[in-house]
PDB file of all heavy atoms in Angstrom:
ATOM      1  N   ARG I 633      -1.898  -3.009 -17.845  1.00 46.00           N
ATOM      2  CA  ARG I 633      -2.446  -4.265 -18.360  1.00 46.00           C
ATOM      3  C   ARG I 633      -3.857  -4.495 -17.855  1.00 46.00           C
ATOM      4  O   ARG I 633      -4.574  -5.344 -18.335  1.00 46.00           O
ATOM      5  CB  ARG I 633      -1.581  -5.445 -17.905  1.00 46.00           C
ATOM      6  CG  ARG I 633      -0.202  -5.439 -18.478  1.00 46.00           C
ATOM      7  CD  ARG I 633       0.335  -6.850 -18.567  1.00 46.00           C
ATOM      8  NE  ARG I 633       0.242  -7.600 -17.342  1.00 46.00           N
ATOM      9  CZ  ARG I 633       1.299  -8.061 -16.689  1.00 46.00           C
ATOM     10  NH1 ARG I 633       2.500  -7.829 -17.128  1.00 46.00           N
ATOM     11  NH2 ARG I 633       1.147  -8.770 -15.608  1.00 46.00           N
ATOM     12  N   VAL I 634      -4.205  -3.779 -16.823  1.00 44.00           N
ATOM     13  CA  VAL I 634      -5.507  -4.008 -16.203  1.00 44.00           C
ATOM     14  C   VAL I 634      -6.515  -3.045 -16.798  1.00 44.00           C
ATOM     15  O   VAL I 634      -6.313  -1.840 -16.782  1.00 44.00           O
ATOM     16  CB  VAL I 634      -5.418  -3.805 -14.675  1.00 44.00           C
ATOM     17  CG1 VAL I 634      -6.761  -4.033 -14.029  1.00 44.00           C
ATOM     18  CG2 VAL I 634      -4.365  -4.720 -14.117  1.00 44.00           C
ATOM     19  N   PRO I 635      -7.612  -3.549 -17.371  1.00 46.00           N
ATOM     20  CA  PRO I 635      -8.546  -2.674 -18.040  1.00 46.00           C
ATOM     21  C   PRO I 635      -9.225  -1.671 -17.124  1.00 46.00           C
ATOM     22  O   PRO I 635      -9.622  -0.604 -17.552  1.00 46.00           O
ATOM     23  CB  PRO I 635      -9.566  -3.644 -18.666  1.00 46.00           C
ATOM     24  CG  PRO I 635      -9.400  -4.919 -17.924  1.00 46.00           C
ATOM     25  CD  PRO I 635      -7.983  -4.963 -17.482  1.00 46.00           C
ATOM     26  N   CYS I 636      -9.402  -2.012 -15.859  1.00 63.00           N
ATOM     27  CA  CYS I 636     -10.126  -1.125 -14.947  1.00 63.00           C
ATOM     28  C   CYS I 636      -9.191  -0.686 -13.822  1.00 63.00           C
ATOM     29  O   CYS I 636      -9.484  -0.908 -12.644  1.00 63.00           O
ATOM     30  CB  CYS I 636     -11.348  -1.811 -14.386  1.00 63.00           C
ATOM     31  SG  CYS I 636     -12.517  -2.325 -15.635  1.00 63.00           S
ATOM     32  N   ALA I 637      -8.074  -0.072 -14.193  1.00 68.00           N
ATOM     33  CA  ALA I 637      -7.093   0.317 -13.179  1.00 68.00           C
ATOM     34  C   ALA I 637      -7.696   1.285 -12.163  1.00 68.00           C
ATOM     35  O   ALA I 637      -7.388   1.215 -10.978  1.00 68.00           O
ATOM     36  CB  ALA I 637      -5.880   0.948 -13.854  1.00 68.00           C
ATOM     37  N   GLU I 638      -8.572   2.174 -12.644  1.00 73.00           N
ATOM     38  CA  GLU I 638      -9.184   3.123 -11.709  1.00 73.00           C
ATOM     39  C   GLU I 638     -10.049   2.388 -10.691  1.00 73.00           C
ATOM     40  O   GLU I 638     -10.099   2.766  -9.524  1.00 73.00           O
ATOM     41  CB  GLU I 638     -10.031   4.134 -12.473  1.00 73.00           C
ATOM     42  CG  GLU I 638      -9.184   5.192 -13.163  1.00 73.00           C
ATOM     43  CD  GLU I 638     -10.047   6.269 -13.803  1.00 73.00           C
ATOM     44  OE1 GLU I 638     -11.244   6.338 -13.475  1.00 73.00           O
ATOM     45  OE2 GLU I 638      -9.520   7.006 -14.629  1.00 73.00           O
ATOM     46  N   ASN I 639     -10.725   1.340 -11.162  1.00 78.00           N
ATOM     47  CA  ASN I 639     -11.547   0.578 -10.229  1.00 78.00           C
ATOM     48  C   ASN I 639     -10.681  -0.143  -9.204  1.00 78.00           C
ATOM     49  O   ASN I 639     -11.040  -0.233  -8.029  1.00 78.00           O
ATOM     50  CB  ASN I 639     -12.401  -0.442 -10.983  1.00 78.00           C
ATOM     51  CG  ASN I 639     -13.527   0.224 -11.745  1.00 78.00           C
ATOM     52  OD1 ASN I 639     -13.851   1.380 -11.490  1.00 78.00           O
ATOM     53  ND2 ASN I 639     -14.100  -0.490 -12.686  1.00 78.00           N
ATOM     54  N   VAL I 640      -9.550  -0.673  -9.664  1.00 80.00           N
ATOM     55  CA  VAL I 640      -8.642  -1.331  -8.730  1.00 80.00           C
ATOM     56  C   VAL I 640      -8.183  -0.343  -7.670  1.00 80.00           C
ATOM     57  O   VAL I 640      -8.155  -0.645  -6.478  1.00 80.00           O
ATOM     58  CB  VAL I 640      -7.423  -1.916  -9.473  1.00 80.00           C
ATOM     59  CG1 VAL I 640      -6.399  -2.458  -8.476  1.00 80.00           C
ATOM     60  CG2 VAL I 640      -7.865  -3.014 -10.430  1.00 80.00           C
ATOM     61  N   ALA I 641      -7.863   0.876  -8.109  1.00 87.00           N
ATOM     62  CA  ALA I 641      -7.420   1.885  -7.151  1.00 87.00           C
ATOM     63  C   ALA I 641      -8.531   2.225  -6.165  1.00 87.00           C
ATOM     64  O   ALA I 641      -8.289   2.379  -4.964  1.00 87.00           O
ATOM     65  CB  ALA I 641      -6.964   3.144  -7.895  1.00 87.00           C
ATOM     66  N   LEU I 642      -9.761   2.313  -6.660  1.00 86.00           N
ATOM     67  CA  LEU I 642     -10.885   2.608  -5.757  1.00 86.00           C
ATOM     68  C   LEU I 642     -11.084   1.477  -4.752  1.00 86.00           C
ATOM     69  O   LEU I 642     -11.344   1.724  -3.575  1.00 86.00           O
ATOM     70  CB  LEU I 642     -12.168   2.794  -6.565  1.00 86.00           C
ATOM     71  CG  LEU I 642     -12.437   4.199  -7.081  1.00 86.00           C
ATOM     72  CD1 LEU I 642     -13.778   4.237  -7.801  1.00 86.00           C
ATOM     73  CD2 LEU I 642     -12.428   5.217  -5.961  1.00 86.00           C
ATOM     74  N   VAL I 643     -10.960   0.259  -5.231  1.00 87.00           N
ATOM     75  CA  VAL I 643     -11.107  -0.881  -4.325  1.00 87.00           C
ATOM     76  C   VAL I 643     -10.031  -0.817  -3.241  1.00 87.00           C
ATOM     77  O   VAL I 643     -10.307  -1.026  -2.050  1.00 87.00           O
ATOM     78  CB  VAL I 643     -11.005  -2.208  -5.104  1.00 87.00           C
ATOM     79  CG1 VAL I 643     -10.844  -3.389  -4.148  1.00 87.00           C
ATOM     80  CG2 VAL I 643     -12.235  -2.413  -5.970  1.00 87.00           C
ATOM     81  N   ASP I 644      -8.814  -0.511  -3.654  1.00 90.00           N
ATOM     82  CA  ASP I 644      -7.733  -0.416  -2.668  1.00 90.00           C
ATOM     83  C   ASP I 644      -7.998   0.715  -1.679  1.00 90.00           C
ATOM     84  O   ASP I 644      -7.752   0.567  -0.477  1.00 90.00           O
ATOM     85  CB  ASP I 644      -6.395  -0.176  -3.378  1.00 90.00           C
ATOM     86  CG  ASP I 644      -5.763  -1.486  -3.851  1.00 90.00           C
ATOM     87  OD1 ASP I 644      -6.270  -2.554  -3.465  1.00 90.00           O
ATOM     88  OD2 ASP I 644      -4.773  -1.434  -4.605  1.00 90.00           O
ATOM     89  N   LEU I 645      -8.493   1.834  -2.184  1.00 91.00           N
ATOM     90  CA  LEU I 645      -8.768   2.963  -1.290  1.00 91.00           C
ATOM     91  C   LEU I 645      -9.822   2.584  -0.252  1.00 91.00           C
ATOM     92  O   LEU I 645      -9.628   2.795   0.954  1.00 91.00           O
ATOM     93  CB  LEU I 645      -9.233   4.175  -2.103  1.00 91.00           C
ATOM     94  CG  LEU I 645      -9.660   5.408  -1.294  1.00 91.00           C
ATOM     95  CD1 LEU I 645      -8.520   5.914  -0.418  1.00 91.00           C
ATOM     96  CD2 LEU I 645     -10.151   6.516  -2.220  1.00 91.00           C
TER      97      LEU I 645
END
Side-chain angles (χ1 to χ4, degrees):
Chain I
R633 294 207 308 242
V634 180
C636 300
E638 283 186 15
N639 287 344
V640 173
L642 273 183
V643 167
D644 276 350
L645 176 59

